[in-house]
Amino acid sequence: MSEHVDILHSDERPQHHTQATADELFLAPGSTSVQRCAGCTTVLSELDSAPACPSCGSLLEVLHARPTDAAGNVMTGDALRASFAQNCCARPVGHPSGVWRFQQLVMPNAGASITSHPEGNTPLLSRAALSTYTGVEGVLIKHEGHNPTGSFKDRGMTVGVTQAVRIGARAVACASTGNTSAALASYAAQAGIPGLVFVPAGKIAMGKLAQTLSYGARTLLVRGDFDQCLRLVQDASRELGIYLLNSINPWRVEGQKTIVLELLQQLDWEAPDFIVLPAGNLGNTAAFGKALREAYALGLIDRLPRIVSVQAAGAAPFARSYNEGFATRYTVAAETVATAIRIGDPASWDRGVRTIRETNGIVLSCTDDEIIDAKMTIDAAGVGCEPASAASVAGVRKLVAQGVIASTDRVVAVLTGHVLKDPGMLVELHQERTDFPRANRPIEIDADVSAVARVLETTFTGRI
Ligand code: F0G
């Protein structure tokens, strides 16, 4: 692994951490899962619907019993790995979902309430064009856009909506930059629970709005930004008794942990050096840290990858704070072409800091131009992703240029959403922007072969 260069002062970011043990992170074998306040450690039952700690207002986290086998024995890393492999493939033992095959670490007591599409089982891709672009020979792409509604949100939402069913919620709600709302709408429809979503008017990508409307969620276009939507939905859910399904919901985090668990399984539990992801509200950054912490304590992996969270430069309060040793929590008025991460006041801030500290992680920002350039490269490789997703690949490229990531490091970059999420941006870039050098303009022709021949001559000269 390459050495970290001076992005931060070394005294602010210890290189070695004492990892929590399984006894500290898990309850005694056979216990029922609980929700615990990350601030004052108040414990709530696993079926409590509180969106945050009723005592101090901090976010909740879920604790499970230490996994045991059928005979009640605590499972070793080997035993857990074997059970996950079996869950994956051997039905009726297993589950076709890439979330629920890790059920012991996600929601052990879900019983018959599980609402699953199924989801997960997303590919780990390698593409020569992306190795060249990033400068990392073996860079791997975990493509979460292959989920049923086209983003990683399905992994959290299958668990969140399952929890809503378990507690008998009368309705579910979220604020969203678009992907959470699409996932909520889909899973709420499957569970038969009314869904209510709050999105910033005029600021979510067309594909996401289309999905949310089609799946039937009641959609409120709020005159304000995402951060205002989130405050509004928190107030509304508290006063109106609607179950909140933003990523501050600890069960969403449990589901999103499986991105990491699944990619580790795909790597035969050989942890990579870096896992790189786009960061907005920091729910995923929080989930990745929790997954790694637990995987390490349970003996699933023998070392921790470094988490790299990449923000858009116009929405980078977390990156700014990281550069100052997390001394200050910032909020900004967010603006970026990557609308999914157009967030100025990330809700999972403390959890995000914990992830970065515990994994000796890195936070950086990339400009919109860098994000678009990465996206165009990903798209042209035939992989495709939505703009925010490309921040991960842009981040890898930048850290290679800075000498932080070496060409031989083992790096997984997560693409969080599908290329069709934001068709409006693509149509504009490729069809309308005359100044865009990589534009792939469609050509209108008469319906005859000679017109096709003329296009071939001018387009593919020397290639066919
Ligand atoms: N990538 C995509 C495609 C997203 O939709 C989001 C978040 C992120 C990255 C950032 O993840 O918030 O956990 O740091 N989208 C949320 C939404 C905010 O409402 O769909 P995060």
Side-chain angles (χ1 to χ4, degrees), residues 152-153 176-180 278-284 340-341 343 386 416:
F152 71 95
K153 304 289 182 179
S176 181
T177 55
N179 281 326
T180 303
N281 215 21
L282 302 177
N284 235 10
I341 51 175
I343 295 173
E386 70 161 286
T416 43

Side-chain angles (χ1 to χ4, degrees), residues 31 168 183 409 417 445:
S31 309
D409 279 340
I445 58 163

